[in-house]
Amino acid sequence: MIERTLVLIKPDGIKRGLVGKITSAFEDCGLKIVGMKLVSPSPEKVQEHYNADENWLRSVGEKSIKSAKERNEAINEDPIEIGKRIRSYLINYLANNPVIAMVLEGNNAIEIVRKIIGSTQPSKADPSTIRGKYSSDSYDLADSNKRAVRNLVHASEDKASAEREIKVWFNESELIQYSRSDEKEMYG
Ligand code: GDP
Ligand code: MG
């Protein structure tokens, strides 16, 4: 089904001159850009985007504990506390820095975009994905430097978060309807 998803090119993607390559990866797969802007978000805007949803805080914290265990590091901290710390790293990473927000539309756009960007930790992401191809960053390096993993892009994880996140960055009037010339070939 045709759906929409939110992508952010994070400041490392812009400062490293990777905007064209990242955007092409989505366009090449047939995804249509229906909204796009370069912004320098306020801390409040980034907080709204990474909202303090308890399930998300816990899942980020648990993921971090699991990878620490794999490195034989003992962690006694509460997952939610770890999630809150990572959220504060994310605010430092994105706020007052260049960020490109875009809305992509296409068949199964949410899942397809997550497949194209790859898994969260670039060091483990498949090399054919954006995160695996253009970065080698890892949780241990990022945690020891007290910063968020620099993985170039954000993409919505599911339908509910896509709908919420699109509204954080775009008004309805900023989303443009048009046809790509290859739509009939892809979807007809
Ligand atoms: P995503 O959906 O793949 O971006 O991953 P999450 O929603 O789980 O996490 C949001 C962002 O937080 C990631 O893209 C990373 O930039 C950062 N992050 C996630 N887990 C960790 C971690 O364990 N350590 C650090 N330093 N950053 C993390
Ligand atoms: Mg996420």
Side-chain angles (χ1 to χ4, degrees):
M1 288 301 290
I2 304 296
E3 57 188 20
R4 288 179 172 182
T5 189
L6 179 90
V7 168
L8 301 177
I9 304 182
K10 294 176 175 179
D12 50 331
I14 297 172
K15 292 179 183 175
R16 290 182 51 205
L18 294 170
V19 172
K21 286 180 170 136
I22 291 170
T23 308
S24 285
F26 301 126
E27 287 187 297
D28 288 351
C29 194
L31 291 155
K32 176 162 71 182
I33 299 166
V34 296
M36 191 177 215
K37 54 170 92 161
L38 174 66
V39 289
S40 177
S42 64
E44 292 74 24
K45 178 66 90 183
V46 183
Q47 279 168 17
E48 194 187 345
H49 173 77
Y50 287 113
N51 70 344
D53 175 73
E54 208 173 283
N55 289 331
W56 178 76
L57 292 173
R58 187 178 295 105
S59 88
V60 173
E62 281 171 353
K63 204 160 64 170
S64 171
I65 291 171
K66 184 166 171 268
S67 88
K69 275 195 186 137
E70 283 163 12
R71 304 193 299 269
N72 292 321
E73 287 171 28
I75 307 266
N76 294 318
E77 214 179 343
D78 175 45
I80 292 196
E81 289 310 308
I82 298 173
K84 285 183 183 166
R85 185 170 60 245
I86 292 171
R87 181 169 179 258
S88 77
Y89 293 163
L90 287 165
I91 294 158
N92 287 338
Y93 177 22
L94 271 72
N96 303 314
N97 273 304
V99 170
I100 286 178
M102 65 175 108
V103 177
L104 296 174
E105 187 181 282
N107 188 33
N108 289 332
I110 297 166
E111 191 186 327
I112 297 291
V113 166
R114 291 294 301 198
K115 183 182 73 168
I116 293 170
I117 72 170
S119 58
T120 306
Q121 197 177 188
S123 63
K124 302 270 183 184
D126 189 281
S128 62
T129 63
I130 291 169
R131 287 167 165 177
K133 186 169 180 185
Y134 297 117
S135 173
S136 62
D137 202 15
S138 58
Y139 293 146
D140 59 337
L141 182 63
D143 288 345
S144 66
N145 290 339
K146 300 193 182 340
R147 60 166 177 78
V149 168
R150 292 189 187 132
N151 53 9
L152 305 154
V153 270
H154 162 85
S156 308
E157 292 181 28
D158 53 38
K159 212 171 176 59
S161 45
E163 277 169 17
R164 188 188 71 78
E165 291 172 3
I166 289 170
K167 288 198 187 107
V168 172
W169 298 92
F170 291 91
N171 298 322
E172 196 53 47
S173 64
E174 294 171 311
L175 302 175
I176 313 296
Q177 288 197 29
Y178 64 98
S179 296
R180 266 180 63 146
S181 58
D182 53 3
E183 257 168 51
K184 274 207 177 89
E185 284 304 323
M186 292 191 294
Y187 303 136

